[in-house]
Amino acid sequence: MGRKCFISFKTEDKEYKKFIQDDLNVDMIDKSLDHPIDSDDEDYIMRKIREDYLSDSTVTIFLIGQYSNENLGYQEQKFLKRELQASLYNGVGNTRNGILGVVLPNMLSSIYTGSGQCYSCGKVHTYVNITNSTTITEFGYNYYIPSNKCSWSEDDRYCVLVSWDDFVRTT
């Protein structure tokens, strides 16, 4: 049986969500919202997302496109923010999901900015630009969990990145 996955995405990127659901041979049970929750009550929205969609899912796939960044403003991003917050919530009836950030083709050069040798450890690191101009704060904070390290391994964080092409190729 596949993993229970929740897909967080902007409406502008719905063709990628549809491709994952319909065309990829992914062993997953889709727990995603297909329609927005009809309420202006933020607490209610969070509770419904946690209870009805995330309570038994283990992975949130966050599609990172040009419209899924913090700088577009809270109103534009309130559903993405709430979905990621609910995914990271660890409490009664809900365990924290890992978040797989899938970088869509239109954001590759904005997020993956090259690589170089680290002055602190001497290893080569891939440079990624995870800021409010490329993604949502909740993803960025949990990608770079504060520590005194020069780099973070996938075991050090709740959020990881993969390009769309690598995601498609490995599924």
Side-chain angles (χ1 to χ4, degrees):
M1 179 183 286
R3 289 188 181 265
K4 293 181 181 178
C5 297
F6 180 88
I7 302 173
S8 182
F9 68 103
K10 288 296 286 183
T11 304
E12 293 86 353
D13 299 320
K14 66 183 172 200
E15 70 275 2
Y16 291 99
K17 178 185 185 233
K18 186 165 175 40
F19 184 84
I20 293 169
Q21 292 171 318
D22 298 342
D23 298 327
L24 287 183
N25 186 20
V26 180
D27 186 18
M28 73 176 222
I29 299 164
D30 187 7
K31 299 288 292 182
S32 303
L33 275 157
D34 287 321
H35 304 288
I37 296 171
D38 187 21
S39 176
D40 291 326
D41 182 340
E42 297 294 325
D43 292 332
Y44 173 77
I45 292 169
M46 285 289 286
R47 190 178 81 246
K48 292 302 284 180
I49 291 171
R50 283 195 308 264
E51 289 174 359
D52 297 350
Y53 299 95
L54 288 169
S55 64
D56 63 346
S57 66
T58 56
V59 175
T60 296
I61 298 170
F62 172 37
L63 300 179
I64 302 173
Q66 65 186 13
Y67 298 102
S68 54
N69 69 70
E70 193 75 30
N71 288 347
L72 290 176
Y74 174 75
Q75 279 305 104
E76 287 291 315
Q77 305 308 11
K78 69 179 179 180
F79 293 110
L80 277 183
K81 291 177 77 58
R82 295 299 179 236
E83 290 166 0
L84 295 183
Q85 288 168 354
S87 295
L88 293 164
Y89 176 75
N90 194 26
V92 177
N94 194 81
T95 56
R96 182 179 290 126
N97 279 6
I99 299 177
L100 176 62
V102 179
V103 182
L104 300 180
N106 60 11
M107 286 299 290
L108 280 176
S109 63
S110 297
I111 290 186
Y112 293 107
T113 59
S115 62
Q117 189 168 8
C118 177
Y119 296 114
S120 296
C121 70
K123 295 179 182 176
V124 174
H125 300 300
T126 300
Y127 301 137
V128 293
N129 181 30
I130 301 295
T131 65
N132 286 350
S133 65
T134 59
T135 190
I136 299 296
T137 300
E138 286 73 10
F139 185 84
Y141 181 86
N142 287 282
Y143 186 83
Y144 295 121
I145 294 174
S147 70
N148 292 321
K149 296 181 177 186
C150 61
S151 69
W152 292 259
S153 73
E154 289 186 5
D155 293 336
D156 293 333
R157 54 188 166 203
Y158 296 111
C159 299
V160 296
L161 278 178
V162 65
S163 71
W164 173 257
D165 288 342
D166 287 344
F167 176 74
V168 170
R169 187 175 19 260
T170 59
T171 53

